[in-house]
Amino acid sequence: MLLPRLARLAPSLLPKRPPTYASFSTTSPAKMKVVPVPVRDDNYAYLLIDEATNKAAAVDPYDVPKVQAAAEKAGVQIVAGITTHHHFDHSGGNQAFSAAYPGAPIYGGSNKIPALTNQVKDKDEFNVANIHVRCLATPCHTQDSICYYVTDKSGTHPGGVFTGDTLFVAGCGRFFEGTGAEMHAALSYLATLPPQTVVYDGHEYTKSNLAFAKSVDPENAALARLEKLITDGVSPNERTTIGDEKEWNPFMRLDSAPIRKATGGGEPGAAMDALRTLKNNFRG
């Protein structure tokens, strides 16, 4: 687990990148804040906080006591639950969450999600206090996978997206309920978000994803930048954006020459299936 937070690092340790990818720096007071809460062995729950009201939503609150402790430490009131998909390691805390917060809505993409109160679909919108949430349907890992794009009215935060098990840092989720074509569509959809959008994913798989990416895209200079960020201890929940992922994530680079060589090319769905098979079998 990578512990140091981006805000605590000396400026000399920060990656050199175009300004658009550095705009989520914590030097300006933001009205929206995201706090990762590690749960299980490698999962992330999150608190999505509106600092103007000290109200928050809990994203995938698998371990409710840990999420409650994080909320108490942050001095915020939890008013909603958000679920990225129905798998137990993401939705398994919903019954306990509902019991702890009986008036709080729980958003999610299907009735397979425990304690669901508000089923959402693509392009649905809702608010958590002053934070605007837009739902992006990304079926593949599960057919009810929803990514949540969040922005605040102040404009001081660059926006973020909770991607569950669809998009990881330098990787993507397995195709348990979908196809390569569906994952290609899902990642292409996420790629339309502003490049400065911060990615909040569902698992800490960064080191293994980096190793695989280097095996299929060894000359990609962006991967060296990601490796340095890991070495420097920058949290994956604060260091990566949609713009970054388009540079270093092999699953978002199907048209690049190295990935076409690794997969044998072909149409995007077939290439995605081939790349996922390579990742599934990778032991590097």
Side-chain angles (χ1 to χ4, degrees):
M1 192 65 65
L2 302 175
L3 299 178
R5 316 309 300 166
L6 178 61
R8 297 175 186 167
L9 291 177
S12 62
L13 293 181
L14 295 177
K16 296 184 183 302
R17 58 175 70 179
T20 184
Y21 301 150
S23 61
F24 61 92
S25 167
T26 55
T27 55
S28 298
K31 298 302 181 185
M32 183 174 79
K33 180 180 179 180
V34 176
V35 175
V37 184
V39 297
R40 289 172 55 95
D41 293 332
D42 54 33
N43 281 75
Y44 285 114
Y46 294 93
L47 290 176
L48 171 63
I49 298 171
D50 174 46
E51 292 188 313
T53 62
N54 287 327
K55 293 183 178 180
V59 180
D60 289 349
Y62 174 86
D63 189 325
V64 174
K66 281 190 175 181
V67 171
Q68 288 176 314
E72 183 176 349
K73 182 177 180 180
V76 298
Q77 175 191 3
I78 294 176
V79 297
I82 296 174
T83 307
T84 59
H85 62 292
H86 71 261
H87 282 168
F88 182 75
D89 58 327
H90 295 263
S91 69
N94 281 13
Q95 295 288 5
F97 180 88
S98 179
Y101 303 98
I106 297 177
Y107 298 91
S110 83
N111 59 12
K112 293 182 179 180
I113 292 169
L116 183 75
T117 64
N118 293 57
Q119 186 168 332
V120 296
K121 62 184 184 305
D122 188 44
K123 296 183 174 62
D124 280 352
E125 300 180 350
F126 59 92
N127 291 304
V128 177
N130 295 304
I131 297 170
H132 181 257
V133 184
R134 179 156 59 92
C135 304
L136 311 176
T138 53
C140 181
H141 181 73
T142 66
Q143 286 298 304
D144 63 359
S145 291
I146 300 285
C147 296
Y148 298 90
Y149 175 56
V150 295
T151 54
D152 75 336
K153 295 179 180 179
S154 73
T156 55
H157 190 286
V161 61
F162 296 96
T163 59
D165 287 2
T166 296
L167 173 65
F168 297 128
V169 178
C172 72
R174 290 177 181 259
F175 310 165
F176 287 126
E177 297 181 8
T179 65
E182 285 181 306
M183 183 57 77
H184 174 64
L187 298 183
S188 296
Y189 192 10
L190 294 175
T192 67
L193 294 174
Q196 69 270 20
T197 304
V198 184
V199 175
Y200 302 108
D201 62 357
H203 287 269
E204 180 44 61
Y205 293 157
T206 310
K207 289 183 179 180
S208 61
N209 286 346
L210 172 62
F212 173 71
K214 289 171 66 177
S215 76
V216 294
D217 200 2
E219 303 302 319
N220 187 343
L223 292 174
R225 178 161 58 86
L226 176 57
E227 187 165 31
K228 185 177 188 304
L229 290 172
I230 293 173
T231 302
D232 290 345
V234 183
S235 166
N237 306 299
E238 295 178 332
R239 69 172 173 232
T240 183
T241 65
I242 289 294
D244 292 325
E245 294 305 318
K246 290 163 74 172
E247 291 185 30
W248 64 43
N249 191 322
F251 295 93
M252 299 183 79
R253 290 170 45 79
L254 296 183
D255 287 337
S256 69
I259 303 305
R260 288 182 64 82
K261 179 179 178 181
T263 61
E267 56 87 19
M272 183 68 79
D273 278 323
L275 190 61
R276 183 68 249 181
T277 298
L278 289 172
K279 178 63 167 69
N280 292 347
N281 296 327
F282 181 70
R283 297 294 181 268

